[in-house]
C-alpha cells in the first residue's frame, strides 16, 4: 500500500496528538499534516500540490467549522478525489445524514479509548484502499468499533 497523505483539522491539540500517535501504531504508512482550524486548512488546500488523499475533519472548530469546510471542499471540482472523513465527538443522526448529503465520505465518532481509536482509524484507512461494501453495495459511511 502506498503512503497515504492525510490532513487532520481539529482545534483540540490533545486529540490531534492522540490521532497521530494512533496512526503510528497502525501498519498503514501515512504522513499527516495538522491544522487547528478550518481557515488554515482551506488556505493550505488552495496553495499546495499534491493534494491529500484524505482529510479528517472535526466539526466544532473556531473560525471555520467542519460543515463550512466540507461545503467549500465539495464546491471545487479540483478537490473531488479527496476523501473527507468527519471525526467528531458529536453523534447526532440528523447531522450525520446532512454530512453524508453534503459529500463527506465517512463519519467517525471520536472514541473514548486509545485502542478504539486505533481500530476505527485502521477500518477507515483500510476502506480507502479496499473499498469494502455493505450488504446494500455501498461503502460504509459510519465507522464503528
Amino acid at each position: 500500500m502506498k503512503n497515504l497523505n492525510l490532513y487532520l483539522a481539529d482545534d483540540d491539540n490533545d486529540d490531534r496528538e492522540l490521532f497521530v500517535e494512533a496512526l503510528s501504531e497502525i501498519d498503514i504508512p501515512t504522513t499527516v499534516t495538522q491544522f487547528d482550524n478550518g481557515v488554515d486548512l482551506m488556505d493550505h488546500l488552495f496553495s499546495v500540490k499534491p493534494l491529500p488523499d484524505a482529510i479528517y475533519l472535526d466539526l466544532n472548530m473556531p473560525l471555520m467549522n467542519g460543515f463550512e469546510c466540507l461545503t467549500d471542499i465539495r464546491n471545487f471540482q479540483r478537490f473531488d478525489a479527496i476523501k473527507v472523513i468527519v471525526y467528531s465527538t458529536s453523534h447526532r443522526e440528523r447531522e450525520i445524514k446532512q454530512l453524508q448529503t453534503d459529500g463527506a465520505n465517512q463519519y467517525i465518532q471520536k472514541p473514548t479509548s486509545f485502542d478504539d481509536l486505533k481500530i476505527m482509524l485502521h477500518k477507515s484507512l483500510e476502506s480507502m484502499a479496499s473499498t469494502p461494501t455493505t450488504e446494500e453495495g455501498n461503502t460504509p459511511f459510519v465507522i464503528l468499533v
Side-chain angles (χ1 to χ4, degrees):
M1 178 183 288
K2 75 170 188 145
N3 187 60
L4 294 174
N5 180 18
L6 307 177
Y7 285 4
L8 171 62
D10 192 331
D11 62 317
D12 187 314
N13 187 55
D14 291 338
D15 283 352
R16 288 194 317 269
E17 286 179 9
L18 284 172
F19 185 98
V20 172
E21 186 177 338
L23 281 178
S24 73
E25 295 186 17
I26 296 173
D27 193 26
I28 297 174
T30 58
T31 302
V32 181
T33 304
Q34 301 177 48
F35 304 91
D36 63 5
N37 66 73
V39 171
D40 290 346
L41 166 69
M42 295 308 299
D43 285 348
H44 194 76
L45 276 175
F46 280 104
S47 66
V48 299
K49 287 190 180 181
L51 293 169
D53 297 300
I55 299 170
Y56 285 82
L57 186 61
D58 185 29
L59 286 182
N60 302 307
M61 296 183 289
L63 306 178
M64 182 180 215
N65 68 37
F67 286 103
E68 295 165 327
C69 287
L70 176 61
T71 299
D72 279 3
I73 291 166
R74 291 305 180 224
N75 278 335
F76 292 91
Q77 187 175 5
R78 70 188 274 195
F79 302 141
D80 284 354
I82 300 172
K83 304 286 187 205
V84 178
I85 300 93
V86 175
Y87 173 69
S88 180
T89 55
S90 174
H91 192 79
R92 295 180 189 97
E93 192 65 33
R94 185 178 56 125
E95 284 182 349
I96 293 170
K97 286 180 182 181
Q98 187 62 51
L99 291 163
Q100 189 170 21
T101 299
D102 290 349
N105 297 92
Q106 292 177 348
Y107 174 86
I108 298 174
Q109 183 177 13
K110 290 181 182 178
T112 56
S113 80
F114 185 73
D115 287 338
D116 286 349
L117 175 59
K118 289 192 314 187
I119 291 167
M120 294 172 101
L121 287 176
H122 188 265
K123 286 181 180 182
S124 175
L125 294 172
E126 281 289 315
S127 74
M128 279 185 234
S130 61
T131 316
T133 57
T134 61
E135 291 177 11
E136 296 83 30
N138 300 315
T139 57
F141 183 71
V142 177
I143 303 291
L144 302 172
V145 176

